[in-house]
């Protein structure tokens, strides 16, 4: 595996004060379109992390998904320590490439949590990649026929399900065809 798709569910959109509710990631190899190990954990909120009221209202409208996340909460520091170990275990020589959709959200949110815990981010910033940009580049190269409308399946607002959907989008953009990633 050479890459990791990451998705977060959070208490808001501000990396400095919003908290991560669910951290999910899937190791994969883009060239081979192979999917590997999965990480899916729900950290308790770190101290001094708060709710944005609009996000609290959003989760109130998705109470069953939110309840399943809260039921799985565990010590936040342990989740981030375990995630770091998971990322670095069997890592390629140059490290894994970090992918998310969009990069401008997941990367700074995750980095702020590692910073708060006084731990190094397990990805080098030069390895960060944006799925939205990749898909736009595929379309710019003439792959505008890619239909992403079939992608919305799985559990909405579940970080692991979102990772799987993002990999489907990724592989579809690369090939221009649907590619099943994980069994639902």
């Amino acid at each position: 595996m050479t890459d990791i798709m990451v998705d977060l569910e959070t208490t808001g959109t501000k990396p400095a004060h919003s908290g991560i509710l669910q951290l999910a990631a899937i190791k994969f190899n883009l060239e081979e379109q192979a999917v590997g190990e999965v990480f899916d954990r729900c950290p308790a909120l770190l101290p001094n992390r708060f709710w944005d009221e609009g996000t609290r209202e959003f989760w109130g409208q998705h109470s069953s998904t939110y309840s399943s996340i809260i039921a799985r909460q565990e010590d936040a520091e342990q989740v981030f320590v375990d995630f770091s170990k998971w990322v670095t275990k069997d890592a390629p020589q140059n490290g894994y490439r970090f992918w998310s959709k969009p990069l401008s959200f997941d990367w700074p949110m995750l980095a702020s949590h590692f910073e708060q815990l006084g731990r190094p981010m397990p990805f080098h910033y030069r390895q960060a990649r944006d799925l939205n940009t990749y898909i736009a580049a595929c379309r710019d190269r003439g792959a505008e026929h890619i239909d992403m409308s079939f992608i919305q399946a799985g559990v909405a607002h579940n970080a692991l399900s979102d990772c799987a959907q993002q990999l489907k989008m990724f592989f579809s953009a690369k090939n221009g065809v649907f590619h099943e990633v994980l069994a639902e």
Side-chain angles (χ1 to χ4, degrees), residues 59-165:
W59 280 113
Q61 297 168 4
H62 298 88
S63 59
S64 64
T65 303
Y66 177 70
S67 294
S68 69
I69 289 171
I70 295 305
R72 295 176 46 218
Q73 274 189 338
E74 55 186 297
D75 179 72
E77 187 164 6
Q78 190 62 54
V79 170
F80 291 103
V81 166
D82 291 349
F83 181 68
S84 188
K85 288 177 183 176
W86 181 82
V87 168
T88 57
K89 181 182 84 170
D90 301 325
Q93 184 176 357
N94 294 330
Y96 286 104
R97 285 182 296 223
F98 174 102
W99 288 88
S100 65
K101 176 186 183 263
L103 182 62
S104 61
F105 178 78
D106 297 283
W107 177 270
M109 187 71 72
L110 192 58
S112 76
H113 280 68
F114 276 99
E115 182 179 351
Q116 181 176 342
L117 291 168
R119 298 192 169 276
M121 178 73 159
F123 298 95
H124 192 278
Y125 70 90
R126 289 187 179 132
Q127 296 292 73
R129 304 289 189 269
D130 183 278
L131 179 59
N132 289 337
T133 302
Y134 180 87
I135 291 171
C138 287
R139 287 192 171 120
D140 289 347
R141 289 191 321 255
E144 62 275 338
H145 66 281
I146 299 170
D147 177 12
M148 298 293 177
S149 63
F150 65 88
I151 299 297
Q152 279 302 61
V155 180
H157 312 297
N158 174 289
L160 183 58
S161 183
D162 290 348
C163 278
Q165 300 312 314

Side-chain angles (χ1 to χ4, degrees), residues 11-12 16-19 45-52 56:
T11 64
H17 74 79
S18 298
L45 288 182
L46 288 174
N48 300 315
R49 297 290 174 156
F50 306 100
W51 281 91
D52 292 339
R56 187 187 307 269

Side-chain angles (χ1 to χ4, degrees), residues 1-2 20 35 39 50 55-56 59 91 93 97 105 136 170:
M1 299 296 135
T2 56
I20 294 174
V35 175
F39 186 93
F50 306 100
T55 306
R56 187 187 307 269
W59 280 113
Q93 184 176 357
R97 285 182 296 223
F105 178 78
F170 203 170

